[in-house]
Amino acid sequence: MPEKLADLIAEVALANRILAQEGVLDAFGHVSVRHPSDPGRYLLSRARSPAVIEPGDILEFTLDSAPVKPPKVHLYAERVIHGCIYQARSDVMAVCHHHAPAVMPFCIAGKPIVPVFHVGAAMGAEVPFWDQHDEFGDTNLLVVKPEEGRSLARALGGHSAVLMNRHGATVVGGSLKEMVSRAIFMCQNAEYQLRTLALGAPAPLHPGETRLAGSISVMPNVLSRTWEYWCTRLAAAGAMPPQGGARTTVSRRSAPSRASRTLSRKQRKSGRR
Amino acid sequence: MPEKLADLIAEVALANRILAQEGVLDAFGHVSVRHPSDPGRYLLSRARSPAVIEPGDILEFTLDSAPVKPPKVHLYAERVIHGCIYQARSDVMAVCHHHAPAVMPFCIAGKPIVPVFHVGAAMGAEVPFWDQHDEFGDTNLLVVKPEEGRSLARALGGHSAVLMNRHGATVVGGSLKEMVSRAIFMCQNAEYQLRTLALGAPAPLHPGETRLAGSISVMPNVLSRTWEYWCTRLAAAGAMPPQGGARTTVSRRSAPSRASRTLSRKQRKSGRR
Amino acid sequence: MPEKLADLIAEVALANRILAQEGVLDAFGHVSVRHPSDPGRYLLSRARSPAVIEPGDILEFTLDSAPVKPPKVHLYAERVIHGCIYQARSDVMAVCHHHAPAVMPFCIAGKPIVPVFHVGAAMGAEVPFWDQHDEFGDTNLLVVKPEEGRSLARALGGHSAVLMNRHGATVVGGSLKEMVSRAIFMCQNAEYQLRTLALGAPAPLHPGETRLAGSISVMPNVLSRTWEYWCTRLAAAGAMPPQGGARTTVSRRSAPSRASRTLSRKQRKSGRR
Amino acid sequence: MPEKLADLIAEVALANRILAQEGVLDAFGHVSVRHPSDPGRYLLSRARSPAVIEPGDILEFTLDSAPVKPPKVHLYAERVIHGCIYQARSDVMAVCHHHAPAVMPFCIAGKPIVPVFHVGAAMGAEVPFWDQHDEFGDTNLLVVKPEEGRSLARALGGHSAVLMNRHGATVVGGSLKEMVSRAIFMCQNAEYQLRTLALGAPAPLHPGETRLAGSISVMPNVLSRTWEYWCTRLAAAGAMPPQGGARTTVSRRSAPSRASRTLSRKQRKSGRR
């Protein structure tokens, strides 16, 4: 196993636990990344709660969500969510499906989540709403069949997230860290939007503000800050994943490397920090 | 004491602590199981807060809620809740009575809890409402007399849970783990239902959805996930029960056994995971 | 120092920390008991946050709130709350003044807290409301002058608690444990009452129910349960007070003694548990 | 490095972590103090989440927010908030910018936070509201340009805090501890104000009450209490900053010194405690 893949697998386990620690995932929900060298495959845990996932739980799937090796363990019933989105969106490198308490009132009421503060703009100006019942009638609301997964992917379209009626949300990103940030800040935005209702219906940011603020969470001096913060909180809770194989040392992530602290020569010259 | 009974007793202590850790039980509330080899008896702790119950606290009662051995300790005043339900419902193997903060607003307002998301369907389409005052006038609201217990059991009827006016709820299950899952997800559902009110009155799932989604929490790939998750959270809080007698090792529960991870030959053949 | 007094002093420190752990007290608030052998004196900590109070912090005051020994430490500015209530109410053995988040909305809105569930009846049917501004005009809202303390004691009257406009609450009891239970359950009741508003204005218990349910929290099989529960939570948070003098071992409280578990001969004969 | 400066640097790291522990700061937000011997400079951390800041992260800036030494690390993009306020307000010795969940509903709804309980008066009678869009149109809402910082400082005027539309708040103080107290109690006030809405629109304190109660949090017997309390909570969470250089021992702060416990001769004579 090449180092890069082992590192990514460790990072998927870490991302699962970060999202559990930050209240996005609970007993349920799952996180995947597209395979770094084979865009026709993705990496996802066996059926296990995100808070306890270890690198050894991560398995490889084709984009039709079949396990590459015959599985000896339970698999998530809803992995078509991941496969169908990777098929439809070549720009997506990471997917999270969750039932975070922060978004559930919107999923249940069928009301939109809109960006109400600068960091919340990470989810984009609009989050489409998908109702499985429209196309499939009565189901157990799990997204299990390929056609259900494809329908969800169509509803997502070119957006960064989609709400699922009476079920939860699915969030995507151009990288694992972008997706993790987006999932967390979208939940924070939803929480603030709901709490603001007691003072009156909140209006969204101006469209131009949303466009400009949407990239705050992936600015270098922000991403290094948030990732260190989330790792520190996870470590403080005693919940860091066990280290994986020989070359995979998750601790290299929890302490920001010298590289992430130090400005590049180019950055220093430009004076842009 | 046969191994099976010792294991079940350890599991009752564990269930008490899981439900306390997950916010269903607090200083009050209690959990029982029907005796595995004598359906005319049930197992329940001495009067103690659920969070601290140990296997050695579990006592045996007849279905008229009399202790099988003369007690040297305080007993729960409300044990008729358990006995009367076991008498009325031969299918019920586990009972929990609680005052969870999530359900209290509904108990106080006299408003129904309805399934508003897929996992919440575990409680069924309808949870009846029982007002002790209707039949018994002014009381201290504790369910202490046999006739009070029988009245509550009648109100429960064939349902999975019953709300008790200004008091709390009682939840039943065909197994201890089913009941624990139901109690937790019913509270989560109540919490989401209440929070959704700020966005408008939430409608319940379609009846067909409730029927289909009602069994999600007892699907094998879900139950293994939730039980491991709750045990992990309990262990992280340093709150696992002490191990009981010689053959009762609760740790065998906290780490999912090889068996629960591995698919049966039948499951692999059917391709159903 | 006689053993009884040392034990009571240790219990005051413990009560401070329990009330902090359970969210009644925060940086502010204070707990006193009447002196066990001299009803003209009371015991109260030096000015310190309740969560960190140790037996060595507890000082003795006369009922006009003067320290019996010249103090070398800061004292609570508001100790007249305690002295004036002990003067006015010979039945009161313990007092707590607090600003719990649960009661603040009612203190700020000037709306009554009423018993809405059985355990909440511990505070009685009515909690009077006192506005310092009515009698004293603009102040910093601290109850510092003897006439302010006497005015508050008059507002309390024969009740178990009093709300203080834009400030907090004061709760009394016939024993330290009764007062601690009442303070915690009154906060829980206020929390439930506020949360219920989203479903409609909650009505109080029937007067007869409040009368009957008011003593639940001091029933022997309840008080032993709650005290053990709160001590266990405090110990789990690593926040038990350090042990005081030679004879004062707080650990004797955190683990329920054999006596509290075992029924008296009288209880066993009467069949009342 | 003189001892006084080292102590202050350690205190800035501590203040960052206290404000994170108390829910004012999260992944974002920052805390500065004016340089104790050079009023034309201020001290602020490199770009890092407040919860993990160490004394070694604190850097020195001129009031136009340029680093005194060429930086080798990422800097906060929004440090002009600090520099522009120190330029405009010679009385201000400490600044905190934050996005606390407690204030966000007010920032989003554009509604004022007003003092609704005695301790909340620490923020003053009025907190002005600043909308970056008014003067600068569509931005990413970060306060990055000097003219943006100056505009914010103008909006702050002579007040103790300013709300920033869809962004957060900035709080100032005449000392670091005053500012920390104010930031925490303003959040607590906002939380209570929001929760009270369910019972009706809360009115503010009388103007005279606000004036008198505004200094409660800097009374000696209060400040010693709150600082010990916050340090104890931080230590209990295992989150105290590592000790800095030779003479900087943060532990001297977490345990109240003999001096802070003991009354001065003057205090004892005056009888004022």
Side-chain angles (χ1 to χ4, degrees):
Chain A
M1 188 162 60
E3 181 175 1
K4 189 181 167 187
L5 182 59
D7 278 3
L8 188 62
I9 284 171
E11 203 162 79
V12 173
L14 181 60
N16 268 284
R17 289 176 179 236
I18 284 175
L19 288 168
Q21 180 67 25
E22 299 302 320
V24 176
L25 301 170
D26 47 23
F28 303 122
H30 13 92
V31 171
S32 70
V33 284
R34 197 187 286 268
H35 193 289
S37 56
D38 181 352
R41 293 184 175 179
Y42 67 90
L43 305 169
L44 178 74
S45 171
R46 68 176 173 99
R48 203 175 186 194
S49 285
V52 293
I53 286 174
E54 306 173 19
D57 295 321
I58 309 299
L59 305 174
E60 201 175 328
F61 296 88
T62 62
L63 294 199
D64 60 1
S65 296
V68 171
K69 293 180 191 167
K72 296 180 181 171
V73 290
H74 287 296
L75 303 182
Y76 292 128
E78 297 191 300
R79 57 196 187 278
V80 295
I81 292 175
H82 302 265
C84 291
I85 288 175
Y86 289 122
Q87 284 181 327
R89 288 276 298 272
S90 63
D91 61 314
V92 167
M93 299 306 286
V95 175
C96 173
H97 168 60
H98 69 77
H99 319 150
V103 303
M104 292 308 293
F106 298 90
C107 298
I108 291 166
K111 295 285 171 65
I113 300 176
V114 296
V116 293
F117 81 122
H118 62 321
V119 182
M123 69 182 182
E126 191 196 341
V127 174
F129 198 94
W130 180 71
D131 185 354
Q132 187 162 340
H133 199 271
D134 288 345
E135 201 169 330
F136 303 98
D138 284 351
T139 64
N140 67 358
L141 283 96
L142 297 180
V143 182
V144 176
K145 297 179 186 167
E147 56 268 33
E148 292 167 341
R150 285 193 294 266
S151 172
L152 177 66
R154 278 195 303 274
L156 172 66
H159 296 279
S160 294
V162 56
L163 291 188
M164 302 153 76
N165 193 30
R166 303 177 177 294
H167 180 163
T170 298
V171 183
V172 304
S175 73
L176 188 65
K177 288 184 177 177
E178 184 188 43
M179 182 277 288
V180 167
S181 300
R182 179 171 287 146
I184 291 172
F185 294 132
M186 178 176 161
C187 284
Q188 205 170 25
N189 187 93
E191 190 68 36
Y192 294 166
Q193 185 177 342
L194 194 77
R195 281 168 55 90
T196 301
L197 285 166
L199 290 162
L205 296 182
H206 297 284
E209 289 176 326
T210 299
R211 206 170 45 247
L212 291 164
S215 56
I216 288 178
S217 59
V218 290
M219 285 165 60
N221 75 344
V222 168
L223 197 53
S224 66
R225 219 184 307 173
T226 51
W227 202 254
E228 182 194 23
Y229 175 66
W230 294 323
C231 288
T232 300
R233 283 162 61 91
L234 191 63
M240 287 293 281
Q243 299 194 1
R247 285 160 173 265
T248 311
T249 54
V250 177
S251 62
R252 274 155 49 201
R253 275 166 198 81
S254 74
S257 69
R258 185 80 206 149
S260 78
R261 288 184 48 181
T262 311
L263 297 179
S264 68
R265 184 176 303 187
K266 190 180 151 196
Q267 283 175 310
R268 254 177 284 172
K269 275 198 178 161
S270 75
R272 175 76 186 91
R273 279 169 296 267
Chain B
M1 187 162 64
E3 181 176 1
K4 190 181 166 186
L5 182 59
D7 278 2
L8 187 62
I9 284 172
E11 202 162 80
V12 173
L14 181 61
N16 267 284
R17 289 176 178 236
I18 285 175
L19 288 169
Q21 180 67 26
E22 299 302 319
V24 177
L25 300 171
D26 46 24
F28 303 123
H30 12 91
V31 171
S32 70
V33 284
R34 195 187 288 268
H35 193 290
S37 56
D38 181 352
R41 293 185 174 177
Y42 68 89
L43 306 170
L44 177 73
S45 171
R46 67 177 174 98
R48 204 175 185 193
S49 284
V52 294
I53 286 174
E54 306 173 20
D57 295 321
I58 309 300
L59 306 174
E60 200 173 327
F61 296 88
T62 61
L63 294 199
D64 60 0
S65 297
V68 170
K69 293 179 191 168
K72 296 179 182 172
V73 290
H74 287 296
L75 302 182
Y76 292 129
E78 297 190 300
R79 57 196 187 278
V80 294
I81 293 175
H82 302 265
C84 292
I85 288 175
Y86 289 122
Q87 284 180 326
R89 288 275 299 270
S90 62
D91 62 314
V92 167
M93 299 306 287
V95 175
C96 172
H97 168 60
H98 69 77
H99 319 149
V103 304
M104 291 309 292
F106 297 90
C107 298
I108 292 166
K111 294 284 171 66
I113 301 176
V114 295
V116 293
F117 81 121
H118 62 320
V119 182
M123 69 183 181
E126 191 196 343
V127 174
F129 197 94
W130 179 70
D131 185 353
Q132 187 161 340
H133 199 271
D134 288 346
E135 201 169 330
F136 303 98
D138 285 350
T139 64
N140 67 358
L141 283 98
L142 297 180
V143 181
V144 176
K145 297 179 186 168
E147 55 269 32
E148 291 166 343
R150 284 193 293 267
S151 172
L152 177 66
R154 278 195 304 273
L156 171 65
H159 296 279
S160 294
V162 56
L163 292 188
M164 301 153 78
N165 193 31
R166 303 176 177 293
H167 180 162
T170 298
V171 183
V172 304
S175 72
L176 188 65
K177 288 185 178 177
E178 183 188 45
M179 183 277 288
V180 167
S181 300
R182 179 173 287 146
I184 291 173
F185 294 131
M186 178 175 160
C187 284
Q188 206 171 24
N189 187 92
E191 190 67 37
Y192 294 166
Q193 185 177 343
L194 193 77
R195 281 169 54 91
T196 300
L197 285 166
L199 290 162
L205 297 182
H206 297 284
E209 288 177 327
T210 299
R211 207 169 46 246
L212 291 164
S215 56
I216 288 177
S217 59
V218 289
M219 286 165 59
N221 75 344
V222 168
L223 197 53
S224 65
R225 219 184 308 173
T226 51
W227 202 255
E228 182 193 24
Y229 176 66
W230 294 322
C231 286
T232 300
R233 284 162 60 90
L234 191 64
M240 287 293 281
Q243 297 194 0
R247 285 160 173 264
T248 311
T249 55
V250 177
S251 63
R252 274 153 50 199
R253 275 164 199 80
S254 75
S257 69
R258 186 80 205 149
S260 79
R261 288 184 47 181
T262 310
L263 297 178
S264 68
R265 184 176 303 187
K266 191 180 149 195
Q267 284 174 310
R268 253 178 284 172
K269 276 200 178 160
S270 74
R272 177 76 187 90
R273 281 170 293 268
Chain C
M1 188 162 63
E3 181 176 0
K4 190 181 165 185
L5 182 59
D7 279 1
L8 188 62
I9 284 172
E11 201 162 81
V12 173
L14 180 61
N16 268 283
R17 291 177 178 235
I18 284 175
L19 288 168
Q21 179 68 26
E22 299 302 320
V24 176
L25 301 170
D26 47 22
F28 303 123
H30 12 91
V31 171
S32 70
V33 286
R34 196 187 287 268
H35 193 288
S37 56
D38 180 354
R41 293 185 174 177
Y42 67 89
L43 306 170
L44 178 73
S45 171
R46 67 176 175 100
R48 202 175 187 194
S49 284
V52 294
I53 286 174
E54 305 174 19
D57 295 321
I58 308 299
L59 305 174
E60 199 173 329
F61 297 88
T62 61
L63 293 199
D64 59 1
S65 296
V68 170
K69 293 179 191 167
K72 296 180 181 171
V73 289
H74 287 295
L75 303 182
Y76 293 128
E78 297 190 301
R79 57 196 187 278
V80 295
I81 293 175
H82 302 265
C84 292
I85 289 175
Y86 289 122
Q87 284 180 325
R89 288 274 300 270
S90 62
D91 61 313
V92 167
M93 299 305 288
V95 175
C96 172
H97 169 59
H98 69 78
H99 318 149
V103 304
M104 291 309 293
F106 297 90
C107 298
I108 291 166
K111 295 283 171 67
I113 301 177
V114 296
V116 293
F117 80 121
H118 62 320
V119 182
M123 68 184 182
E126 191 195 343
V127 174
F129 197 94
W130 179 71
D131 185 353
Q132 187 160 341
H133 199 271
D134 287 346
E135 202 170 330
F136 303 98
D138 285 350
T139 65
N140 67 359
L141 283 98
L142 296 181
V143 181
V144 176
K145 297 178 187 168
E147 56 267 33
E148 291 167 341
R150 285 192 293 266
S151 172
L152 177 66
R154 277 195 304 273
L156 172 66
H159 296 278
S160 294
V162 57
L163 292 188
M164 301 153 78
N165 193 30
R166 303 177 175 292
H167 180 162
T170 297
V171 183
V172 304
S175 72
L176 188 65
K177 289 185 177 178
E178 183 188 44
M179 183 277 288
V180 167
S181 300
R182 180 172 285 146
I184 291 173
F185 294 131
M186 178 175 160
C187 285
Q188 205 171 26
N189 188 92
E191 190 68 36
Y192 294 166
Q193 185 177 342
L194 194 77
R195 282 168 54 90
T196 300
L197 285 166
L199 291 162
L205 297 181
H206 297 285
E209 288 176 328
T210 298
R211 207 169 46 246
L212 291 165
S215 55
I216 288 178
S217 59
V218 289
M219 285 164 60
N221 75 344
V222 169
L223 197 54
S224 65
R225 220 185 306 174
T226 51
W227 202 255
E228 182 193 25
Y229 175 66
W230 294 322
C231 287
T232 300
R233 283 162 62 91
L234 191 64
M240 287 293 282
Q243 299 194 359
R247 286 161 173 264
T248 312
T249 55
V250 178
S251 64
R252 274 155 50 200
R253 275 164 199 80
S254 74
S257 69
R258 187 79 205 150
S260 79
R261 287 184 49 181
T262 310
L263 298 178
S264 68
R265 184 175 303 190
K266 189 180 151 197
Q267 283 175 310
R268 253 179 284 171
K269 275 198 179 165
S270 76
R272 177 75 187 90
R273 280 171 295 267
Chain D
M1 189 162 61
E3 181 175 2
K4 189 180 165 186
L5 182 59
D7 279 2
L8 188 62
I9 284 172
E11 202 161 80
V12 173
L14 181 61
N16 267 284
R17 289 177 179 235
I18 284 176
L19 288 168
Q21 179 68 25
E22 300 301 321
V24 176
L25 301 171
D26 47 22
F28 304 122
H30 13 91
V31 171
S32 70
V33 285
R34 197 187 286 268
H35 192 290
S37 56
D38 181 353
R41 294 186 174 176
Y42 67 89
L43 305 170
L44 178 73
S45 172
R46 67 175 174 98
R48 203 175 188 195
S49 285
V52 294
I53 286 174
E54 306 174 19
D57 295 321
I58 309 299
L59 306 174
E60 201 174 327
F61 297 88
T62 62
L63 294 199
D64 60 1
S65 297
V68 170
K69 294 181 190 165
K72 297 180 181 171
V73 291
H74 288 296
L75 302 181
Y76 293 128
E78 298 191 301
R79 58 196 186 277
V80 294
I81 293 175
H82 302 265
C84 292
I85 289 175
Y86 289 121
Q87 284 181 326
R89 287 276 299 272
S90 62
D91 61 314
V92 167
M93 299 305 288
V95 175
C96 172
H97 168 59
H98 69 78
H99 318 150
V103 304
M104 292 308 293
F106 297 90
C107 298
I108 291 165
K111 295 283 171 66
I113 301 177
V114 296
V116 293
F117 81 121
H118 62 320
V119 182
M123 68 183 183
E126 191 196 341
V127 175
F129 197 94
W130 179 70
D131 185 354
Q132 187 161 339
H133 199 271
D134 288 346
E135 202 170 329
F136 303 99
D138 285 350
T139 65
N140 68 358
L141 283 98
L142 296 181
V143 182
V144 176
K145 297 178 187 167
E147 56 268 34
E148 292 166 341
R150 284 192 294 267
S151 171
L152 177 66
R154 277 194 304 274
L156 172 66
H159 296 278
S160 294
V162 57
L163 292 188
M164 302 154 77
N165 193 29
R166 302 178 177 293
H167 181 162
T170 298
V171 182
V172 304
S175 73
L176 188 64
K177 288 185 178 178
E178 183 187 45
M179 183 277 288
V180 168
S181 300
R182 179 172 285 146
I184 291 173
F185 294 132
M186 178 177 161
C187 284
Q188 205 170 26
N189 188 91
E191 189 68 36
Y192 294 166
Q193 186 177 342
L194 193 77
R195 281 167 55 89
T196 301
L197 285 166
L199 290 161
L205 297 182
H206 298 285
E209 288 176 327
T210 298
R211 206 169 47 247
L212 291 164
S215 56
I216 287 177
S217 59
V218 290
M219 285 164 60
N221 74 345
V222 169
L223 197 53
S224 66
R225 218 185 308 173
T226 51
W227 202 256
E228 181 193 26
Y229 176 65
W230 293 322
C231 287
T232 300
R233 283 163 60 91
L234 191 63
M240 287 293 281
Q243 299 194 0
R247 284 160 175 264
T248 312
T249 55
V250 178
S251 62
R252 273 155 49 199
R253 275 165 199 81
S254 75
S257 69
R258 186 82 204 147
S260 79
R261 287 184 48 180
T262 310
L263 298 179
S264 68
R265 184 175 304 188
K266 189 180 152 198
Q267 283 175 308
R268 253 178 283 172
K269 273 197 181 164
S270 74
R272 176 75 186 90
R273 282 169 294 269

